[in-house]
Amino acid sequence: MHSKELYEAIRSAMLDKLLDLPADLLYHSTFHTLDVEVQAEKIAKAEKMSNAEDIFLLKVACLYHDSGFLFTYKDHEVAGCKLAKKTLPLFNLNRKQITIICGLIMATRIPQTPLSPLEKIICDADLDYLGRNDFFPISNNLFLELKSRNMITTEDQWNHIQVIFFKQHRYFTGTSKKLREKQKQKHLGMIEAVIVKK
């Protein structure tokens, strides 16, 4: 099977699985998975990544990176790796390919610690929204998701968490630094302004 057809088969199977994500995952939803897939491909292209195998593994990892939420909220990356190890051999992916995919999934764990160029791309794609114009609605979905799980209680508490998160986060690829960092800093300033007013 050609890698494009193989990818479509894996993608179709994973999107079917993601239909079973808990309804209260307003941020860690199928929409987020598909957004990460799109952004990773864009960043890879801008970073001049041309190896078809690398792009294939990157995109598969994007599909699996939050699949662990099907099983657990805490340590979902580990659960996503388990799922990859269980299901990807059915598509004839070998151990080396699955090891790379698991490395990519684990790199997205907060705080992000990517080592390879591919890991840097998936990390930046995962948090691409921090420096985008749709940041506030997406961020609000994460707030509502955490609130529904009693992990936070007030918007003020959420704003303080976001400021800490923003200050420790950094983009890793030249592409994301150039395209997203300036807007990300603006968002940080807006959140800090809300806190100061209170």
Side-chain angles (χ1 to χ4, degrees):
M1 199 187 281
H2 183 261
S3 71
K4 190 178 180 191
E5 291 161 340
L6 176 60
Y7 177 71
E8 288 304 327
I10 293 169
R11 188 177 191 269
S12 177
M14 179 47 76
L15 291 179
D16 276 352
K17 273 193 173 58
L18 294 178
L19 292 172
D20 293 329
L21 281 170
D24 65 351
L25 291 184
L26 300 175
Y27 172 83
H28 292 105
S29 60
T30 302
F31 174 83
H32 170 69
T33 294
L34 295 175
D35 182 50
V36 173
E37 176 196 34
V38 168
Q39 301 309 329
E41 202 165 9
K42 280 186 187 171
I43 297 166
K45 196 174 178 183
E47 291 287 309
K48 305 206 173 0
M49 303 282 286
S50 56
N51 183 300
E53 170 81 354
D54 283 349
I55 305 281
F56 168 73
L57 296 174
L58 174 67
K59 287 169 69 181
V60 172
C62 289
L63 292 173
Y64 274 82
H65 89 284
D66 277 348
S67 64
F69 281 107
L70 289 161
F71 312 102
T72 179
Y73 204 86
K74 190 176 183 287
D75 295 328
H76 68 271
E77 296 91 353
V78 175
C81 273
K82 276 187 189 164
L83 185 64
K85 286 173 182 171
K86 184 179 164 187
T87 57
L88 288 174
L90 305 174
F91 295 96
N92 294 320
L93 268 69
N94 61 42
R95 189 175 290 176
K96 187 185 174 193
Q97 289 172 311
I98 294 168
T99 299
I100 292 168
I101 288 165
C102 279
L104 289 166
I105 294 168
M106 293 309 295
T108 64
R109 192 178 219 166
I110 304 297
Q112 295 175 330
T113 52
L115 302 173
S116 71
L118 284 180
E119 288 177 6
K120 289 175 182 178
I121 291 169
I122 195 171
C123 284
D124 284 357
D126 194 23
L127 294 172
D128 185 72
Y129 82 101
L130 295 177
R132 281 197 331 233
N133 291 333
D134 57 355
F135 164 73
F136 284 104
I138 292 174
S139 161
N140 191 54
N141 281 342
L142 183 52
F143 166 65
L144 294 172
E145 177 178 310
L146 295 171
K147 197 175 177 192
S148 77
R149 292 174 173 261
N150 299 315
M151 293 167 83
I152 51 171
T153 49
T154 66
E155 214 163 308
D156 191 52
Q157 184 190 7
W158 171 234
N159 285 331
H160 279 91
I161 288 166
Q162 288 213 99
V163 167
I164 294 164
F165 182 72
F166 264 72
K167 288 185 173 174
Q168 64 88 38
H169 170 265
R170 66 187 182 97
Y171 286 117
F172 300 98
T173 63
T175 301
S176 293
K177 285 174 188 171
K178 191 171 80 181
L179 292 179
R180 303 295 185 220
E181 188 60 39
K182 194 174 174 187
Q183 189 68 28
K184 185 188 115 181
Q185 293 304 325
K186 276 188 191 169
H187 292 146
L188 171 59
M190 290 161 87
I191 298 164
E192 286 180 318
V194 171
I195 293 171
V196 169
K197 275 181 196 165
K198 288 192 172 182

